[in-house]
Amino acid sequence: MTPAHSATFRIGAVDLNGQLRGKRLPSAHLGKLKKGGARLPLSALNLDMWGCDIEDSPLVFESGDQDGVLLPTCRGAVPMPWLATASQLVLMCLNTEDGAPFLGDPIQALAAVLDRFAQRGWSVVAATEMEFTLVDDSGDAITPPRHPRDGRQVEAAEILSVAELDAFDAFFTDIYDGAAAMGIPLQTMTSEGGIGQFEVTLNHQDAMKAAHDALLIKYLLRATARNHGFAATFMAKPYLEDAGNGMHVHFSVVDADGNNVFDDGTEAGSDLLRSAVAGCLAAMQASTLIFAPNGPSYDRFAPGAHAPTSICWGYENRTAAIRIPGGPSAARRIEHRVAGGDVNPYLMLAAILGAAIEGIDEGLKPPAPAKGSAYEQDHPQLAHSWEEAIALFEADAFIARCLPKQLIDNLIMTKRQEMRKLAAIAPEAQWKTYLERV
């Protein structure tokens, strides 16, 4: 753990790929942030995966590459316990010069969606479950890591193995200590179904903080893994023949009196729950680009591989894209199971919650819930390729009602540029682009 006092701190805004773009500053400048004392080009949040400007973007030369004003988010300054030298990180959001939110900023886009719930007197509570894989990336291809305890390479998946967790005890202890220092409500770590694969679960909390903490836990896991001599990746499919990494989100909606609006005292849940489900289903195919944002993301969508491919919902059905978990009715919630581990958590939540509130506003009704294996049933499907996902996202009228137009336009430009550039990289070398960027 690093010392408590920081000589410097970082400020970071989140680009469309979930990467932080910002600056390092002396600690004396910390008090100036709330006064708009930090600036960043608007184009900095519309870079491709390699950190390059988007060709022909109106945010660059056409507009003179204008600055926006950075303001701190509600998350506040958090320590960076993986560093040898003490420092803090402040997550920032970007506004235009006239003080309006820049809606090409994923944080501002999520805030705009959450404001639609607030207009009804509601707030959203969310929790995330993220899978990641520990790997050795010292060679020409990624391979499983070596057990710190015995030095032997991990050979097989160890589903829910306590021994596998214990083998990496020092690493996981640092993760729990780091999360506590950063105020991240880390619940469980479990050994999952892939080689070197684990899942981290965060507790239910305010949806915006849930997005912040999903981003921060990724940074903590990746950096701490390096300190222990291996790498942690959230790539959707680190190994073609092994399990992929997913990111599930659970959410419920609470009214001004603290009541869960999805709860009607029954196992079925309320009409509002079903309308939210219907909205999520209506947006799902065109939202594939959010849930599978990169070329290799589509390797994860394989029938029978624990990643949903069918656009359907069900009660206690993990083969469906949307699951309504059981348990006490007061905790009735929606589990959205489509996203890969390589998503931007702000975009993921904005897309899901934007679709849910649109479904509620329109009073949509879902089809009958799926029973049994959804892989063996005839349901609409997610987009099958990156190219198809981009085209669907661009043209869909329902998506246009769920998300800000500027965000949609910028993401399309970004992903088309990435698709062109990735085509020039041999498939066996593409992991080098994504390993720690997602």
Side-chain angles (χ1 to χ4, degrees):
M1 300 297 292
T2 56
H5 300 291
S6 303
T8 64
F9 69 99
R10 289 21 170 213
I11 55 173
V14 182
D15 74 8
L16 293 178
N17 283 309
Q19 297 186 59
L20 290 175
R21 305 292 175 184
K23 306 176 182 182
R24 180 171 178 163
L25 297 165
S27 293
H29 289 249
L30 191 59
K32 301 178 182 179
L33 296 183
K34 291 183 179 180
K35 300 177 183 178
R39 301 168 70 84
L40 199 70
L42 298 176
S43 62
L45 300 194
N46 189 197
L47 303 174
D48 69 17
M49 187 62 71
W50 297 270
C52 298
D53 279 329
I54 303 303
E55 298 171 11
D56 300 324
S57 168
L59 296 174
V60 188
F61 299 126
E62 183 180 320
S63 63
D65 207 7
Q66 296 176 358
D67 271 350
V69 178
L70 288 169
L71 292 172
T73 68
C74 60
R75 191 60 178 82
V78 297
M80 304 170 73
W82 57 86
L83 295 177
T85 303
S87 191
Q88 294 177 301
L89 170 65
V90 182
L91 294 177
M92 309 290 283
C93 55
L94 197 56
N95 285 29
T96 58
E97 192 69 62
D98 61 4
F102 172 54
L103 293 180
D105 176 347
I107 294 178
Q108 297 283 29
L110 176 56
V113 169
L114 292 175
D115 186 59
R116 293 183 63 181
F117 289 87
Q119 290 171 14
R120 285 175 168 261
W122 294 347
S123 59
V124 181
V125 177
T128 55
E129 302 170 344
M130 291 174 279
E131 292 167 332
F132 63 95
T133 304
L134 299 181
V135 302
D136 178 351
D137 66 330
S138 59
D140 293 333
I142 55 174
T143 58
R146 296 186 178 277
H147 278 298
R149 185 169 54 194
D150 56 27
R152 292 194 293 271
Q153 191 175 61
V154 176
E155 295 181 344
E158 293 281 0
I159 297 175
L160 297 176
S161 170
V162 174
E164 192 77 348
L165 292 171
D166 288 348
F168 291 90
D169 174 68
F171 167 67
F172 287 121
T173 295
D174 280 354
I175 294 299
Y176 272 95
D177 289 346
M182 298 171 76
I184 298 173
L186 175 54
Q187 278 197 319
T188 58
M189 285 282 188
T190 55
S191 182
E192 283 290 327
I195 299 175
Q197 186 186 49
F198 299 90
E199 182 182 76
V200 55
T201 302
L202 305 186
N203 205 356
H204 292 262
Q205 57 183 330
D206 168 79
M208 181 61 80
K209 187 172 183 293
H212 291 325
D213 287 352
L215 182 87
L216 291 172
I217 199 72
K218 282 188 168 189
Y219 273 81
L220 174 64
L221 280 159
R222 288 191 295 246
T224 305
R226 284 299 183 192
N227 290 343
H228 285 263
F230 39 83
T233 185
F234 291 86
M235 290 169 59
K237 196 76 167 176
Y239 309 113
L240 282 177
E241 303 304 321
D242 199 21
N245 289 321
M247 182 174 176
H248 301 168
V249 62
H250 296 244
F251 73 95
S252 55
V253 179
V254 178
D255 67 19
D257 296 320
N259 300 308
N260 180 359
V261 304
F262 291 163
D263 173 28
D264 68 349
T266 72
E267 292 183 0
S270 67
D271 289 341
L272 290 172
L273 178 142
R274 285 182 287 278
S275 289
V277 166
C280 289
L281 294 175
M284 191 172 289
Q285 186 182 57
S287 299
T288 307
L289 184 62
I290 299 283
F291 307 137
N294 308 302
S297 303
Y298 293 81
D299 294 333
R300 175 173 164 264
F301 294 131
H306 297 288
T309 57
S310 300
I311 299 173
C312 62
W313 72 295
Y315 292 94
E316 280 291 13
N317 189 339
R318 284 185 167 86
T319 68
I322 294 176
R323 168 179 171 253
I324 309 302
S329 67
R332 193 66 62 232
R333 64 191 185 276
I334 292 171
E335 180 189 10
H336 200 292
R337 300 174 53 81
V338 179
D342 56 344
V343 298
N344 179 329
Y346 300 97
L347 295 187
M348 179 197 69
L349 276 167
I352 292 170
L353 298 178
I357 192 63
E358 189 68 21
I360 289 172
D361 284 349
E362 294 185 14
L364 299 183
K365 298 184 184 303
K371 297 180 180 180
S373 175
Y375 298 120
E376 301 173 3
Q377 300 170 16
D378 184 19
H379 297 290
Q381 299 292 297
L382 298 168
H384 293 95
S385 69
W386 203 15
E387 184 175 14
E388 181 187 4
I390 294 170
L392 288 169
F393 187 73
E394 180 178 31
D396 193 78
F398 194 86
I399 289 290
R401 298 197 296 274
C402 299
L403 295 172
K405 182 179 186 304
Q406 186 160 38
L407 181 103
I408 294 171
D409 292 344
N410 290 356
L411 187 62
I412 291 164
M413 287 189 293
T414 301
K415 294 303 166 182
R416 285 200 167 128
Q417 177 163 307
E418 290 176 4
M419 187 164 58
R420 292 193 299 270
K421 292 173 75 169
L422 194 68
I425 301 174
E428 64 270 19
Q430 291 177 2
W431 66 269
K432 298 175 184 178
T433 293
Y434 295 107
L435 181 73
E436 291 180 297
R437 286 190 173 107
V438 299

